[in-house]
Structure formats: C-alpha cells, structure tokens
Amino acid sequence: MVNFVRNTKMAAAVKFICVLGFLAVLSIAVIERADGASACGKASPDEEAFKFAPCAAAAQYEKAAVSNSCCQQVKRLGQNPTCLCAILLSNTAKSSGVKPEVAITIPKRCNFANRPVGYKCGAYTMP
C-alpha cells in the first residue's frame, strides 16, 4: 500500500512537471510569434510612422500639397495596405496631429494608379 501511494504521488508530480514544461514551451512560442508579427513586419506601426514626417502637412490638411518624399514613403508601404492603415491609425500618428480621414487620401493625391481603392482602414475607406 505504501508503494502504491508513493507511486501515485510520483506519477502526479511527473504529470505536473510535464504540464508546467508544456506551458513554458507554449508561452515561449507565443512570445516568439508576437515578436515581429506586426502589420508592418518586424517594425511596429509606431516606428514606421516616424518615417512619414514628410507627410505631416498632407496628413492634416486635405488642400496641402503632397511632397515627392511623402509620396515615396507612401509608395514604399502602399504595397501593404494593412501596414499603411496601421501607421495612419498608430498612436504616433495621432499624437502628431494626423487626421486619418485626410491621411487616407494621400495615395490618391500622389496619383498612384495601383493604390488599394476600397480598402477599409478602421472607420475609413481608401478612395
């Protein structure tokens, strides 16, 4: 009887250790997956938003001219509308005074024929 109790406790301890090990491996896998899993690849939308400094005026005022350097940055990320949208809605963009309803018009104002027309970006749709 003593051996049975000892074996049962040992088996329970082994199962507990296995479950803890599995949870540790699962947690590491989730953390690794989250690292670099932003809409913009390894860079966060907030980090990418800093590259859009040339678009500051054009993202606040619809009548403002869009500079060539702004169009180049938008074209670089325009192939990935998910990233572009994440940048426009990022905390960095908001704190910089970007108006998403205006910023979303920049690809059209740059005269990009191959822009993501109709793409939903939060409450906004790309024209």
Side-chain angles (χ1 to χ4, degrees), residues 55-86:
C55 299
Q60 295 173 356
Y61 310 104
E62 198 164 357
K63 303 279 186 200
V66 183
S67 69
N68 285 337
S69 56
C70 172
C71 289
Q72 288 173 356
Q73 287 297 337
V74 172
K75 186 175 187 175
R76 184 177 65 83
L77 289 172
Q79 305 304 318
N80 182 352
T82 304
C83 178
L84 186 58
C85 182

Side-chain angles (χ1 to χ4, degrees), residues 34-69:
D35 183 32
S38 87
C40 299
K42 290 199 176 201
S44 74
D46 283 304
E47 292 169 338
E48 289 291 331
F50 286 110
K51 297 175 184 173
F52 282 80
C55 299
Q60 295 173 356
Y61 310 104
E62 198 164 357
K63 303 279 186 200
V66 183
S67 69
N68 285 337
S69 56

Side-chain angles (χ1 to χ4, degrees), residues 100-118:
E101 67 275 11
V102 174
I104 206 161
T105 67
I106 292 175
K108 182 178 181 179
R109 291 161 54 203
C110 287
N111 294 316
F112 295 148
N114 202 14
R115 65 185 187 274
V117 176

